[in-house]
Amino acid sequence: MKGINIHPLNKFQQWFNEAIESNTIEPNAFSLATVGDNNIPSIRTVLLKSYDNNGFIFFSDKDSKKASQISQNPNVAIHFVWLNLDKQIKIEGKAEVINKIDMAKYIFSRKKGLNISQWISLESQVVTARSILEAKFDNMIAKFSDGSLEFPSFWSGYIIKPILIEFWQGGKDKLHIREEYKLINNRWDMIKL
Ligand SMILES: Cc1cc2nc3c(=O)[nH]c(=O)nc-3n(C[C@H](O)[C@H](O)[C@H](O)COP(=O)(O)O)c2cc1C
């Protein structure tokens, strides 16, 4: 079955929220595979800090192996698995370093279930209302913009811009459901595998 320009992010959001609500341990943990100049893949776990239609954000040490491999070759593959839900999502795409203003925006944007409290608590106050959280958000963005607040110099944000997303749902009697979304000429096509 072919779909016409259906953005897979809605489905990602639905599954991700389901993982959060099902009390999965670290639902935002995913495997990140990179490959550098030596053509040998390397894989490790990182945490999803934010996502939107543009891609998936994580943070890492600029001097790490993954950072060095991404600078040599931006092609990456990532993988979420929520065994308690019998679901996995595999994603292929290109990773890019994000600038510090975007880092701040992504960190302080309030995606449900992502742990932004640790960042907001930089200001050591208990957040009691959404309006306070929003004021803090604006304040933080202003501080990053004027340079009065800095991320640790060794730390960087990366966005993975997807070109392929496959949703896999385990089914009875091995009747699994696989939906593959591919970005072709800026349009998302979906096929059921
Ligand atoms: C649950 C979990 C979450 C992790 N989250 C991150 C993360 O968000 N960023 C990161 O750089 N490393 C994270 N790590 C550590 C990485 O898996 C990895 O060991 C480290 O980044 C060095 O990887 P590299 O040498 O391949 O670049 C996490 C590890 C675990 C087990």
Side-chain angles (χ1 to χ4, degrees):
M1 189 178 97
K2 246 185 183 292
I4 303 167
N5 208 19
I6 312 161
H7 204 295
L9 253 291
N10 292 340
K11 189 166 180 113
F12 179 88
Q13 186 172 34
Q14 195 188 322
W15 281 29
F16 186 56
N17 286 341
E18 209 183 312
I20 292 164
E21 281 152 21
S22 68
N23 292 324
T24 307
I25 298 169
E26 305 274 28
N28 58 329
F30 65 91
S31 301
L32 164 71
T34 54
V35 63
D37 284 346
N38 64 2
N39 274 334
I40 299 173
S42 183
I43 192 161
R44 76 291 285 160
T45 303
V46 292
L47 295 178
L48 183 71
K49 288 296 177 186
S50 185
Y51 64 92
D52 62 18
N53 281 3
N54 298 315
F56 304 88
I57 309 285
F58 71 96
F59 288 82
S60 195
D61 189 326
K62 284 179 189 166
D63 293 326
S64 64
K65 180 169 182 175
K66 69 182 93 46
S68 145
Q69 291 199 325
I70 286 168
S71 70
Q72 293 159 9
N73 178 350
N75 295 315
V76 299
I78 70 175
H79 180 249
F80 291 85
V81 62
W82 301 299
L83 295 174
N84 53 332
L85 301 172
D86 216 6
K87 281 179 160 63
Q88 68 171 349
I89 303 178
K90 60 181 254 190
I91 299 172
E92 295 170 8
K94 288 192 188 297
E96 283 174 18
V97 173
I98 56 180
N99 67 41
K100 76 175 183 179
I101 302 297
D102 283 345
M103 260 167 92
K105 283 186 182 154
Y106 279 118
I107 286 172
F108 299 118
S109 68
R110 291 164 297 282
K111 289 284 179 218
K112 193 177 173 201
L114 292 184
N115 186 8
I116 58 145
S117 57
Q118 56 181 319
W119 297 94
I120 293 289
S121 71
L122 283 171
E123 286 197 331
S124 308
Q125 288 170 21
V126 176
V127 176
T128 52
R130 188 178 175 88
S131 57
I132 297 176
L133 197 62
E134 279 168 0
K136 280 171 169 289
F137 174 79
D138 293 341
N139 189 14
M140 286 286 189
I141 297 296
K143 284 183 178 172
F144 278 100
S145 306
D146 71 15
S148 55
L149 196 54
E150 290 282 349
F151 289 104
S153 57
F154 57 86
W155 206 234
S156 194
Y158 294 84
I159 181 166
I160 296 161
K161 297 186 170 174
I163 52 171
L164 182 148
I165 303 186
E166 183 198 300
F167 297 89
W168 185 100
Q169 169 73 72
K172 271 193 185 150
D173 302 323
K174 297 204 179 343
L175 288 173
H176 310 311
I177 299 168
R178 290 169 68 196
E179 288 180 0
E180 186 185 78
Y181 291 74
K182 260 190 191 165
L183 188 63
I184 301 166
N185 297 329
N186 281 327
R187 292 162 52 87
W188 284 100
D189 266 356
M190 192 271 275
I191 50 167
K192 288 200 186 230
L193 300 170

